[in-house]
Amino acid sequence: MKTFGIDPGSDRTGYGCIETEGGRHHLVICGSLSAPARSTFPDKLKHIHAGLLALLEQHQPECVAVENIFYARNVRSALKLGHARGVALLAAAQTGLPVSEYAPTEIKLAVVGFGRAEKQQVQQMIKLLLGLDVVPSPHDAADALAVAICHVHSATGPIAERASVAAPLSPLRSWRDYRP
């Protein structure tokens, strides 16, 4: 099963695609999309939308998972982030894929085993779960991969049920429990 994760941001949007076979996750692609620094905000949104749409069409995942907003420093930041999430959701909807949304604490709980885990703990767990030599960079890409892994580990939805019937995943309670 291929799952595409998105960590939306108005300056940089992280993306990551994983393929899950049995209890193993494999990295397909990850990275981030960012428009040139002097771009107008509408041009940044257009760049994010076009980039995500192209990636979704190229990699043909079965589903898309997007990180939800949990807070912002100010209203202006929240609105910009909401616009970036909107174009990410639009790109996924245009491909006809099922879309799921997860709160940051839900993602950390699914990946690390602790809903208030530090960013570094999440990145290290992503590295371990995907069998990578280095932590995915930039951090937005690691966050997007965490969203995708959260979706696979989630017990809700028809895709997760189909994956668990095919080969049950052994849930990790904490990143300390991981054994290669």
Side-chain angles (χ1 to χ4, degrees):
M1 175 177 81
K2 263 192 195 178
T3 307
F4 197 91
I6 301 173
D7 176 35
S10 57
D11 290 327
R12 188 170 55 204
T13 293
Y15 63 87
C17 186
I18 62 168
E19 187 155 8
T20 303
E21 296 175 21
R24 296 276 185 205
H25 307 296
H26 305 282
L27 176 67
V28 175
I29 189 170
C30 71
S32 67
L33 298 167
S34 54
R38 295 182 187 237
S39 297
T40 65
F41 187 62
D43 285 340
K44 288 181 181 183
L45 294 177
K46 182 179 174 183
H47 180 78
I48 292 168
H49 177 265
L52 288 174
L53 195 58
L55 287 163
L56 289 168
E57 289 173 356
Q58 178 184 359
H59 295 287
Q60 299 290 308
E62 293 178 47
C63 56
V64 178
V66 181
E67 184 173 359
N68 239 336
I69 300 173
F70 68 106
Y71 84 98
R73 292 186 185 123
N74 60 46
V75 175
R76 185 180 208 128
S77 297
L79 286 172
K80 285 187 171 185
L81 183 55
H83 289 11
R85 283 190 73 251
V87 298
L89 293 170
L90 175 62
Q94 285 178 318
T95 60
L97 297 170
V99 180
S100 299
E101 298 175 56
Y102 297 95
T105 53
E106 200 175 357
I107 295 165
K108 291 174 182 179
L109 184 63
V111 174
V112 180
F114 179 58
R116 294 184 181 211
E118 298 291 326
K119 191 169 281 291
Q120 184 182 15
Q121 289 175 305
V122 174
Q123 292 171 337
Q124 287 299 318
M125 195 64 186
I126 295 302
K127 176 184 163 190
L128 292 172
L129 287 171
L130 295 175
L132 304 174
D133 294 330
V134 295
V135 171
S137 181
H139 67 85
D140 303 283
D143 291 348
L145 290 168
V147 176
I149 290 172
C150 172
H151 181 72
V152 172
H153 288 188
S154 173
T156 61
I159 293 173
E161 289 171 4
R162 196 169 68 225
S164 65
V165 169
L169 299 174
S170 60
L172 295 174
R173 302 270 185 242
S174 169
W175 63 272
R176 290 179 183 93
D177 294 338
Y178 176 78
R179 299 292 183 261

